[in-house]
Amino acid sequence: MKVYPINADGSDATTRYIDSLDVDAFAGIEDFITRATERYGKDVRRPVRMELGELISEQPPSVANATSMLDVMLWSLKMRWWVGSVTDDQDDIEPDVSIFVRYHQAEELFVLEDSVGVQKGMFGVVNAYTGRRHTGRNNVIIAHELLHTLGASDKYEPGSGQPNNPDGLGEPDRSPLYPQRYAEIMGGRIALARDDAVIPKSLKYALVGPITAAEIRLTD
């Protein structure tokens, strides 16, 4: 899997942050996938190997205005062409999965566009904040979109972002049920109550539930 950084806000500060990145910033994703494979009894040495690509100077096609199935299909076709056009110069060997991370300055913490992962094409676009304090949460979102490319489905309510019960809960058998201690990665958040949930600070507080494991073929 290869991460390609993009300066989404065009600021010099974001460029400096991207220049400071190295592959170790994404090591938590490798560790998370390794823990998941071990949990489900798969003996796979380093199931995911992270790579960091060079800065991409072009912005990807926006999915924000894709409101119909046809719009989404057209966006996907544009994205597949775009992915090839911006990575060919730096990839002698194409990665199995390409994730484009659009970095924004975090001072104002404005609401980012939704991130997306696409199985047909094996690519994702993640909107993220700059700053080391956001690395853990960024990696949660990257891992979520990575699993989309492998066939995993969302397990949260589209409007509220609240994880579904039980498939979107990290510990659906916990008693009392709330607050949960972990996020199911495709549920996306730690459910603190029936109507309250937060994005985990890092992948140490996330896991792959049995439904997601089956979708990405960790189980038969």
Side-chain angles (χ1 to χ4, degrees):
M1 170 183 162
K2 194 167 186 176
V3 170
Y4 302 87
I6 299 173
N7 185 334
D9 60 24
S11 69
D12 292 339
T14 297
T15 295
R16 288 193 296 272
Y17 176 75
I18 290 173
D19 288 344
S20 75
L21 287 172
D22 59 32
V23 72
D24 289 342
F26 309 97
I29 300 170
E30 281 197 20
D31 294 341
F32 173 73
I33 299 298
T34 297
R35 291 197 304 273
T37 57
E38 291 174 349
R39 179 185 182 192
Y40 290 100
K42 298 292 185 181
D43 185 14
V44 181
R45 183 178 179 273
R46 202 176 184 185
V48 170
R49 182 170 67 86
M50 301 297 300
E51 296 181 3
L52 178 61
E54 299 171 9
L55 176 69
I56 299 294
S57 59
E58 297 180 31
Q59 299 298 321
S62 175
V63 72
N65 296 322
T67 56
S68 69
M69 183 61 69
L70 179 59
D71 290 337
V72 172
M73 291 173 63
L74 290 173
W75 171 83
S76 180
L77 288 172
K78 290 178 182 177
M79 270 298 303
R80 289 162 70 182
W81 178 88
W82 181 86
V83 168
S85 71
V86 298
T87 61
D88 279 352
D89 289 345
Q90 60 173 293
D91 290 340
D92 293 330
I93 300 175
E94 291 186 7
D96 292 329
V97 178
S98 302
I99 302 291
F100 299 88
V101 182
R102 303 180 68 241
Y103 285 102
H104 306 71
Q105 283 295 294
E107 278 77 5
E108 297 181 3
L109 291 179
F110 57 89
V111 177
L112 298 177
E113 290 183 23
D114 288 341
S115 299
V116 61
V118 178
Q119 186 176 12
K120 191 172 183 179
M122 303 293 283
F123 62 79
V125 178
V126 169
N127 287 288
Y129 290 121
T130 61
R132 298 297 176 184
R133 69 186 184 280
H134 297 289
T135 298
R137 284 190 175 92
N138 290 342
N139 283 346
V140 170
I141 300 169
I142 293 170
H144 178 99
E145 303 307 338
L146 165 63
L147 294 197
H148 269 315
T149 72
L150 302 179
S153 61
D154 283 325
K155 296 172 180 65
Y156 60 83
E157 294 298 324
S160 66
Q162 188 72 16
N164 294 335
N165 180 8
D167 297 344
L169 299 180
E171 298 174 297
D173 298 326
R174 180 173 169 79
S175 181
L177 186 59
Y178 303 108
Q180 292 276 297
R181 298 179 297 175
Y182 301 95
E184 202 288 331
I185 188 62
M186 301 312 294
R189 297 172 184 243
I190 301 173
L192 304 179
R194 189 182 301 276
D195 58 354
D196 186 21
V198 295
I199 297 174
K201 294 180 179 180
S202 79
L203 286 164
K204 292 180 181 179
Y205 303 100
L207 51 78
V208 174
I211 302 299
T212 299
E215 289 173 335
I216 63 174
R217 300 183 181 181
L218 286 181
T219 58
D220 297 329

